[in-house]
Amino acid sequence: MSDVFNNLYKPDVLSCLADLSNDEVFTPPSIANDMLDLLPQELFEDPNTTFLDPFTKSGVFLREIAKRLIIGLESKIPNLEERIDHIFKKQLYGIAITELTSLLSRRSVYCSKYPNSKFSVAQFENVQGNIRYKNTQHEWVKGKCCFCGATESEYGGKKREGLETHAYEFIHTTKPQEIFNMKFDVIIGNPPYQMSDGAGGNGTSAVPIYDMFVQQAKKLKPKYLTMIIPARWFSGGRNLDEFREEMLQDSHVRVICDFFKSEDCFPGVDLSGGVCYFLWDRDNAGDCTIKNISGNVSNEMIRPLLEPNSSTFIRFNKGVKILRKIRDNQFKSFSDIVQTYMPFGIRANIKPEQTGEYVLYAYPNKGYCNKNWSLSHREWIDKWKIFISKAYGERGEFPYLVIGKPFIGVPQSLCTETYLLIGPFENETITKNVVSYMKTKFFRFLVLLKKNTQNAVRGVYEFVPTQDFSKPWTDEELYEKYHLTQEEINFIESMIRPME
């Protein structure tokens, strides 16, 4: 019976919880420990080091920190009971995001959801211990919360009675340092990612809020900050422009571990654009260690977050080396011939006519429009051009197509905002040659370096060089032109599949 018991599978309950939610994602213990490994390990041997998880859900970070401190402080505080009491009362602090997660976190950390009970491993005089939860309210100004931007229609009034309002204490204050009235050496955690704004017709639209937690944590001026957040901020994301610029210009971001597929980090959780965790070091600036992780394979490179003369973070380390070769070769961007959003001023919801003077490409079917329609850029209508969907998404394993299939727009044709316009061009031959180039793996790989979500707007073509379009192009010609090594060619071929 003893052998049967010892060999039974006994999963960590927090590993199981990590699979439950796609909204506020629970962190697997293995990932929490990987993040803790980024920190100087002598922190866990110092009885004065203080740790804060300002958005604790399962308590996994505080629990795993406690394990390390119990071992690391053994020589300084030999008595186990005194050591545990010191760790839980003087070193570990948390702010729960809901009342339920406060109970769960206390149960994980103190072994009792009430740390003043006889079952708690450390005896506190109050029911919260050092893991607090405060029922914070939104502050509405003209229908929106002045702290987090939540809409009153979604998160206020009778609609939320008896439900969570998601007014997270840590970001609903201008003075986060007053929550515990103390300084912290390490801030670590996995913040809430987004909040519904009630838009999108069926209420599925959401805005990111994880950036607010990162910026608020920096106000506390910890020595180290490490968080796991969606990776969309690398090159896209609604309302993330300021956050992205701040992060990419910050030389104190010293490590980024990047999971292109979120399932490699959070099993069973599919987040568009993947996830990453980072280490911010207050007292040490320099280049960043970028670690690309895909399944059991990882690739590491120390480099600046931004390449010279670029405002974009290059996600793939191997891609950086390829891009550097290409940009050294009298680079002129293909994005110069990609026209801006809604080229003819026609919305996507416009219904085409059954007949008309012009062919109108509209999703899902083409139709016609008449000359009397209100149109922009009429001078492009009689030209040769290329249309391509401005949104194209893929999930799962590489290789990817990256973009939708481009098609030729003959004279007397136009499109709705569903498509981008490339061109216009003077004749059919040049237009076909451009299409041949767009279908190469070389072209689409360089788009991939910039494209982090399904949106494929003009900017994703920034790293693609223009060519002599008096002739068609093949991958073999492009590989030779830019002197790519076989290893670099193999990487491109592994990432991009043929476009028939």
Side-chain angles (χ1 to χ4, degrees):
M1 178 65 74
S2 176
D3 289 341
V4 172
F5 178 77
N6 289 332
N7 287 291
L8 283 174
Y9 172 55
K10 293 178 286 207
D12 187 331
V13 65
L14 300 188
S15 295
C16 299
L17 280 172
D19 294 340
L20 295 182
S21 174
N22 199 22
D23 180 25
E24 292 164 352
V25 182
F26 287 82
T27 310
S30 60
I31 296 297
N33 277 292
D34 288 343
M35 294 170 66
L36 291 172
D37 287 343
L38 298 180
L39 298 167
Q41 295 306 293
E42 56 266 27
L43 291 170
F44 303 105
E45 300 172 358
D46 185 348
N48 298 311
T49 306
T50 52
F51 300 84
L52 171 67
D53 180 349
F55 21 74
T56 183
K57 295 185 283 293
S58 66
V60 63
F61 289 102
L62 298 177
R63 188 193 73 174
E64 297 306 313
I65 292 169
K67 289 180 181 179
R68 296 185 182 218
L69 289 171
I70 288 170
I71 296 172
L73 297 179
E74 185 174 6
S75 63
K76 293 183 175 65
I77 310 178
N79 182 278
L80 178 60
E81 187 174 339
E82 292 179 7
R83 189 160 73 248
I84 289 174
D85 199 58
H86 174 84
I87 291 168
F88 289 128
K89 290 184 177 179
K90 302 294 185 181
Q91 294 187 269
L92 300 182
Y93 298 82
I95 304 171
I97 62 172
T98 66
E99 184 174 8
L100 177 62
T101 59
S102 72
L103 299 174
L104 178 58
S105 296
R106 294 183 200 122
R107 178 65 180 83
S108 299
V109 177
Y110 304 133
C111 299
S112 171
K113 60 184 179 180
Y114 302 115
N116 62 345
S117 76
K118 64 180 181 179
F119 302 107
S120 177
V121 295
Q123 292 295 309
F124 288 83
E125 295 181 357
N126 60 74
V127 296
Q128 294 201 31
N130 284 341
I131 301 175
R132 60 176 281 156
Y133 171 69
K134 180 181 178 182
N135 186 13
T136 309
Q137 300 299 314
H138 294 287
E139 294 194 19
W140 307 116
V141 177
K142 296 182 179 180
K144 285 194 172 185
C145 177
C146 61
F147 287 107
C148 70
T151 56
E152 189 172 10
S153 60
E154 281 290 298
Y155 295 96
K158 294 184 178 180
K159 185 174 182 178
R160 302 303 299 185
E161 286 183 3
L163 300 175
E164 282 292 339
T165 59
H166 301 285
Y168 305 111
E169 181 182 11
F170 188 62
I171 59 172
H172 282 73
T173 176
T174 58
K175 299 179 179 179
Q177 67 275 11
E178 294 183 356
I179 295 177
F180 281 107
N181 288 314
M182 62 181 293
K183 291 183 177 295
F184 293 96
D185 298 299
V186 177
I187 297 179
I188 185 171
N190 180 5
Y193 294 161
Q194 62 185 28
M195 181 173 285
S196 170
D197 64 359
N202 57 2
T204 59
S205 177
V207 292
I209 58 172
Y210 56 86
D211 55 309
M212 300 179 190
F213 290 94
V214 176
Q215 292 167 326
Q216 193 80 322
K218 287 183 178 181
K219 291 181 182 179
L220 295 181
K221 300 179 180 179
K223 289 183 180 178
Y224 300 98
L225 169 62
T226 177
M227 291 190 193
I228 185 165
I229 58 178
R232 295 186 67 169
W233 69 269
F234 289 161
S235 64
R238 186 175 169 189
N239 298 338
L240 290 175
D241 290 348
E242 182 178 336
F243 174 71
R244 175 169 47 257
E245 182 176 358
E246 177 186 318
M247 288 287 283
L248 294 178
Q249 297 287 347
D250 191 344
S251 59
H252 294 271
V253 179
R254 300 306 307 277
V255 180
I256 293 178
C257 295
D258 174 28
F259 299 82
F260 190 80
K261 295 178 294 182
S262 60
E263 294 93 333
D264 287 336
C265 181
F266 298 128
V269 177
D270 185 8
L271 295 172
S272 176
V275 296
C276 70
Y277 56 84
F278 66 89
L279 174 68
W280 180 86
D281 185 336
R282 183 191 68 191
D283 300 327
N284 293 285
D287 286 344
C288 186
T289 298
I290 310 295
K291 189 174 183 180
N292 300 140
I293 304 167
S294 180
N296 296 320
V297 179
S298 65
N299 177 273
E300 193 170 302
M301 183 179 181
I302 299 175
R303 55 186 173 94
L305 289 175
L306 293 175
E307 290 296 292
N309 303 315
S310 173
S311 60
T312 299
F313 172 69
I314 308 300
R315 190 165 193 176
F316 302 102
N317 291 329
K318 293 181 179 180
V320 170
K321 297 176 181 179
I322 296 172
L323 183 62
R324 287 174 179 173
K325 283 186 176 182
I326 292 167
R327 299 195 83 174
D328 285 344
N329 197 316
Q330 295 182 335
F331 183 86
K332 183 179 179 182
S333 177
F334 185 86
S335 63
D336 292 344
I337 60 171
V338 180
Q339 303 303 331
T340 54
Y341 172 71
M342 203 161 61
F344 295 101
I346 305 175
R347 292 287 183 186
N349 59 358
I350 293 295
K351 187 177 180 180
E353 305 281 358
Q354 296 295 316
T355 59
E357 291 92 351
Y358 304 139
V359 174
L360 175 63
Y361 290 94
Y363 184 82
N365 299 307
K366 70 177 182 179
Y368 298 89
C369 73
N370 294 308
K371 293 181 178 179
N372 60 2
W373 282 29
S374 177
L375 300 173
S376 303
H377 298 292
R378 288 179 177 268
E379 69 275 15
W380 294 343
I381 296 175
D382 290 332
K383 299 285 188 178
W384 289 87
K385 54 256 174 192
I386 296 168
F387 297 135
I388 188 170
S389 173
K390 69 178 180 66
Y392 183 83
E394 291 172 288
R395 301 284 179 89
E397 300 288 339
F398 288 107
Y400 284 178
L401 281 177
V402 182
I403 57 176
K405 188 175 181 180
F407 60 95
I408 292 176
V410 299
Q412 302 291 299
S413 68
L414 33 66
C415 65
T416 68
E417 65 178 324
T418 300
Y419 301 98
L420 290 181
L421 185 151
I422 297 168
F425 306 105
E426 290 300 320
N427 58 61
E428 181 179 9
T429 299
I430 291 176
T431 309
K432 287 182 175 180
N433 292 340
V434 176
V435 170
S436 75
Y437 180 49
M438 295 178 68
K439 289 185 177 182
T440 64
K441 295 177 183 179
F442 174 90
F443 179 99
R444 291 178 287 125
F445 172 79
L446 294 172
V447 173
L448 178 65
L449 295 184
K450 179 90 174 184
K451 182 177 180 285
N452 198 38
T453 67
Q454 69 175 3
N455 289 324
V457 293
R458 180 184 187 178
V460 304
Y461 299 93
E462 177 188 347
F463 297 148
V464 181
T466 55
Q467 306 295 339
D468 173 8
F469 294 122
S470 65
K471 64 177 290 299
W473 287 92
T474 66
D475 277 310
E476 291 70 26
E477 291 172 316
L478 293 162
Y479 295 155
E480 181 178 357
K481 176 178 177 178
Y482 293 101
H483 309 291
L484 301 190
T485 66
Q486 191 59 50
E487 181 183 7
E488 291 166 341
I489 293 170
N490 291 343
F491 180 62
I492 293 175
E493 298 277 334
S494 72
M495 301 289 283
I496 311 297
R497 71 176 188 264
M499 180 178 282
E500 300 300 334

